[in-house]
Amino acid sequence: MRDITPCLLFNVLVVSIGSFLFGYHIAKLNAPQDIISCHGHGISLELDIRPCIPMSEQTYGLVTSVFSVGGLVGAVSAGSIADTYGRKRTAMFNSVGFIVGPALMALATDVTTLSLGRIISGLSAGSSVVIAPLYIHSVAPAEYAGTFGASTQVIINLGILVAQFLGLFLSVVPYWRIILAVGGFIGLAQCLLLPFCVESPKWLASVGDRELAYRSLVKLRGRSDVDDELVSFDDTTSPDGENDGPDDATPNQRLLGHSTEANTSTTPKITLYQFMTMADYRRQLIAVVGIMIAQQFMGINAIVMYGVSILGDIIPTGATLINVIVSLLNLFVTAIAARIIDKVGRKTPLLLSIVGMGIFSALLGTGIIFKIQVLSGISTLLFVSSFAIGLGPLPFMIASELVGHEAVGAAQSIGLTTNWLATFAVAYGFPSLRAVVGNGEVFFIFSALSVASFLFVSRHIPETKGRTVDEVWGQARHVD
């Protein structure tokens, strides 16, 4: 434990604020939906300060979903920006968006301004969910890298929990604006604290600044005898400055360009076009795209983004509280899921997760249709818990383990793009779909999609734990 210093913890916590805000911004429009869109009780439009912004449910869905547009741009561009300017500097740039976006939303009097703030928040959030794991992995001691890496998803869920908790008390006029503004104050805190953090020593070493890398490492470790660790960067650092070891990389890192094999091969990198067109990568492409679609099309963000309005008619006085409990349970299950996955592998938890979500989605739909409060509440809790044990953390991990190091960059691009587009589709399409088929009936669609997802995973997703890429696919790969 000697390398777990106050300086290290300070750096990790400050950079992790970006992950926290990612979760916070995903969930913050859930609880106050009716109040923001002028559908709540006791709202008068005669006030000088506009108490709400009139919106249909479809328009509100558009405002909610444009976060994914910003997130896609931020996530796809973050890696190259961080490689050029450094992890710390990129995080500081992101923190500006975390201030501006919430400020625009909190002061908005029209849909355009509200949407613009949402997009800017998405840009920073999408970038941060890439940068934070990269930075944490680079500063964490090797023996604790897995523990620190697993913290990213937990912190995201903590952000979701805080947003739901504030919504429990502030979803009234005019205090709903505080929910939107809080993210800006947290972003400001990160902006003020980041100058006191050190740059990633591995990135500094990768760009040739070994003296500053040494000084940063000394601060992080709280001791001067760090020469061995500094020398190790020469042996394990890839061109983008990070360690390629398979055991301590986080799921997002593996997807975002960190091979699970030693990156010492001279095999040329596979471009995105080659990955999408070469027959040798056809099965990998289908697997990566399919698992990302399955993660989102099972309906998890329908609960995270619209859970209060979904349960509002069935449990009018307890829908917001149930969403807080859901977020708390999601946080707890996510914290223990990594250990389960490491023990039993990838495919079994993934299939069990899909089965659980399918069953509890159908039960939730039944509870809503027949107005059974207990069934609706319990099904919501178990639906989210099922997601957290497999379909939540595993797609990013599996996507990186399905390809060799020469194709990780291409898998990164297609995986991130597919995931964010699927998130947008659910966030934007769910309100309209619910309006057409019914508030409860829509969950039978998610249940039917679980059957398709189960069949897809059974056929197209092999077990990857403890296997090389060649062993995963049962044949040698031929790379031209």
Side-chain angles (χ1 to χ4, degrees), residues 390-405:
L391 203 56
L394 277 171
F396 287 97
M397 182 182 295
I398 289 175
S400 65
E401 295 175 344
L402 290 172
V403 299
H405 67 272

Side-chain angles (χ1 to χ4, degrees), residues 147-175:
T147 301
F148 276 91
S151 68
T152 300
Q153 190 63 39
V154 174
I155 292 171
I156 290 173
N157 288 327
L158 180 61
I160 295 174
L161 173 62
V162 171
Q164 304 283 26
F165 181 78
L166 291 179
L168 184 62
F169 300 101
L170 299 176
S171 296
V172 293
V173 174
Y175 299 117

Side-chain angles (χ1 to χ4, degrees), residues 286-356:
I286 292 172
V288 170
V289 172
I291 195 64
M292 293 300 172
I293 292 176
Q295 185 193 53
Q296 295 302 322
F297 277 23
M298 289 291 292
I300 185 61
N301 277 323
I303 297 296
V304 173
M305 295 179 174
Y306 303 105
V308 172
S309 65
I310 290 170
L311 297 175
D313 293 337
I314 310 302
I315 316 172
T317 61
T320 305
L321 178 60
I322 287 178
N323 272 266
V324 172
I325 298 172
V326 164
S327 300
L328 184 61
L329 185 62
N330 189 25
L331 176 65
F332 174 75
V333 175
T334 300
I336 64 174
R339 299 302 177 189
I340 297 175
I341 291 168
D342 284 340
K343 289 183 178 180
V344 303
R346 320 300 193 221
K347 191 166 184 175
T348 298
L350 190 60
L351 290 172
L352 290 175
S353 176
I354 292 171
V355 170

Side-chain angles (χ1 to χ4, degrees), residues 80-296:
S80 59
I81 295 174
D83 285 344
T84 302
Y85 297 103
R87 282 62 171 125
K88 173 184 170 180
R89 199 174 300 173
T90 304
M92 292 181 66
F93 176 76
N94 285 340
S95 66
V96 175
F98 279 137
I99 298 169
V100 175
L104 287 173
M105 295 188 70
L107 299 174
T109 57
D110 56 71
V111 173
T112 301
T113 305
L114 193 67
S115 299
L116 179 60
R118 186 77 170 153
I119 291 173
I120 294 173
S121 298
L123 278 167
S124 290
S127 180
S128 290
V129 82
V130 173
I131 299 305
L134 289 178
Y135 182 89
I136 292 171
H137 178 65
S138 71
V139 301
E143 61 269 32
Y144 300 110
T147 301
F148 276 91
S151 68
T152 300
Q153 190 63 39
V154 174
I155 292 171
I156 290 173
N157 288 327
L158 180 61
I160 295 174
L161 173 62
V162 171
Q164 304 283 26
F165 181 78
L166 291 179
L168 184 62
F169 300 101
L170 299 176
S171 296
V172 293
V173 174
Y175 299 117
W176 60 267
R177 294 186 182 273
I178 295 178
I179 301 175
L180 307 189
V182 162
F185 288 108
I186 297 175
L188 177 61
Q190 185 188 40
C191 186
L192 296 175
L193 291 172
L194 276 168
F196 299 98
C197 295
V198 302
E199 181 55 271
S200 159
K202 290 183 180 178
W203 180 81
L204 290 169
S206 73
V207 296
D209 197 341
R210 297 187 65 80
E211 177 61 30
L212 187 54
Y214 172 80
R215 294 203 301 267
S216 297
L217 204 53
V218 168
K219 288 182 180 179
L220 290 168
R221 302 293 179 256
R223 52 187 174 85
S224 59
D225 55 329
V226 296
D227 297 280
D228 289 343
E229 185 173 359
L230 189 61
V231 170
S232 72
F233 295 165
D234 297 330
D235 299 326
T236 60
T237 300
S238 64
D240 63 359
E242 303 298 339
N243 187 295
D244 288 316
D247 297 326
D248 57 2
T250 67
N252 281 330
Q253 285 170 298
R254 291 194 184 103
L255 181 64
L256 296 167
H258 301 277
S259 171
T260 56
E261 302 173 9
N263 194 14
T264 58
S265 171
T266 58
T267 304
K269 297 295 182 182
I270 296 298
T271 66
L272 179 60
Y273 176 78
Q274 289 173 319
F275 186 70
M276 295 178 66
T277 58
M278 289 176 62
D280 284 342
Y281 291 98
R282 189 66 45 79
R283 289 193 294 172
Q284 288 94 324
L285 174 64
I286 292 172
V288 170
V289 172
I291 195 64
M292 293 300 172
I293 292 176
Q295 185 193 53
Q296 295 302 322

